Amino acid sequence: MKHSLCKVSAAAFQALLILCLSAPIAAASNFEMPTLERIVKTGKIRIGYGATAPFSFTAPDGQIVGYSIDLCRRVTEKLRERLNIPTIEIEFVPRTPSNRIQLLNEGNIDIECNSSTNTAERRKSANFALSHFYGATRYVSLAKNGLQTVADLKGRSVSVALGTVNVSDITEINRTQKLSISVVPVDGLQSAFDMVKDARVSAFAMDEVLLSMMIAQSKNPSEYSLSKEKVTEAQPYGFMMRLNDTEFATAVNDALREIYKSPEGAEIYARWFESQIPEIGVSLHMPMSDMLKNAFANPASIQ
């Protein structure tokens, strides 16, 4: 009886070992499969989204919406036509500024549809689609403190969201202008904004359009002030994709090029930046910049 149990245990162990060894291989095989090939095989695309209105956010009814989401929905439809398949289901996957590149390169999302700044450093870790927005970095502070310029931050504390380019933006200006700023990294945009609200820091440095939206959505918008002086000039935003998946990146850019050069691109922009946004009841009153108009008329990748 004892001998029989040993045989069963050995067999079970061998089966478990085979399962454990084969699982990573299967996962790796799926991850290494080119994205377009996997979309055809599964009928599904995985889109990363954030909590950053008006680019991507969850509406009160639970739907994932936003300027970036509308663009990516149209891209998905054009991919469906290109691949000649009946449907492509969109699986929305939440991401944060600090985990977005990790989720992308580990294969949990196929494309990040939000408001990621396209920088040379980031292009070492991800592929960027044709630019869909340009935005500068500013800071928000309590209006009663009268802070408006970069020099006004001298000797003060400034929160920044981990995983954003604004960390390096404020750190660089702190170093070059010798401002003695106390930089406070925080995990999440809302947490960084709340530190200003609670007077735990003097300011929060972030992309100007996101700060404008956060102020508009706050309980008392008049309590906050967006700096008149920029921390950085306007920088391009792009959808991030995995490195070394050239075929998918080409297909996405081909789709975006069609959208941007058609009336549809301007219409999608106007819906989120020039009109009342029904999902949150605010309007940014932000006409398309000349820089973005040119990018839509002459779409080109940034090297």
Side-chain angles (χ1 to χ4, degrees), residues 22-217:
S22 63
I25 294 172
S29 176
N30 184 58
F31 170 64
E32 290 171 1
M33 181 183 295
T35 304
L36 290 181
E37 185 179 330
R38 192 195 55 74
I39 290 173
V40 171
K41 182 177 180 180
T42 65
K44 183 182 296 186
I45 187 170
R46 298 162 301 184
I47 291 178
Y49 73 96
T52 47
F55 294 95
S56 69
F57 62 101
T58 305
D61 64 0
Q63 295 296 307
I64 308 304
V65 297
Y67 170 61
S68 297
I69 298 301
D70 277 0
L71 286 174
C72 281
R73 285 186 186 277
R74 289 298 296 124
V75 167
T76 299
E77 175 57 22
K78 289 188 177 295
L79 290 178
R80 185 198 67 76
E81 294 170 359
R82 183 184 186 119
L83 298 171
N84 194 28
I85 55 178
T87 60
I88 298 179
E89 177 190 351
I90 295 177
E91 179 184 336
F92 287 108
V93 181
R95 48 41 99 223
T96 66
S98 57
N99 73 4
R100 51 187 160 183
I101 291 179
Q102 179 184 350
L103 287 177
L104 187 68
N105 289 328
E106 287 183 353
N108 295 296
I109 59 176
D110 299 314
I111 184 169
E112 191 236 12
C113 295
N114 198 50
S115 56
S116 292
T117 307
N118 182 346
T119 66
E121 186 62 29
R122 280 191 178 154
R123 289 195 294 274
K124 296 176 185 177
S125 303
N127 220 329
F128 275 86
L130 296 170
S131 303
H132 63 287
F133 196 81
Y134 285 81
T137 297
R138 295 183 190 263
Y139 67 81
V140 64
S141 61
L142 294 176
K144 65 182 181 182
N145 293 333
L147 308 180
Q148 290 296 335
T149 68
V150 171
D152 288 339
L153 296 176
K154 186 175 179 64
R156 296 179 180 272
S157 56
V158 178
S159 61
V160 286
L162 285 168
T164 66
V165 298
N166 312 106
V167 177
S168 57
D169 289 342
I170 202 70
T171 300
E172 178 64 13
I173 208 163
N174 188 26
R175 182 186 66 81
T176 57
Q177 298 194 24
K178 298 180 172 58
L179 297 174
S180 300
I181 294 171
S182 175
V183 181
V184 184
V186 180
D187 192 9
L189 275 62
Q190 190 60 51
S191 297
F193 186 88
D194 288 344
M195 292 191 79
V196 174
K197 179 188 72 174
D198 300 335
R200 286 178 285 157
V201 296
S202 297
F204 166 36
M206 188 61 200
D207 301 12
E208 58 186 350
V209 62
L210 300 182
L211 290 180
S212 296
M213 181 59 75
M214 295 179 85
I215 292 170
Q217 288 183 282

Side-chain angles (χ1 to χ4, degrees), residues 274-286:
E274 300 179 55
S275 312
Q276 181 85 355
I277 303 173
E279 290 84 353
I280 48 182
V282 300
S283 176
L284 286 170
H285 303 292
M286 188 179 291

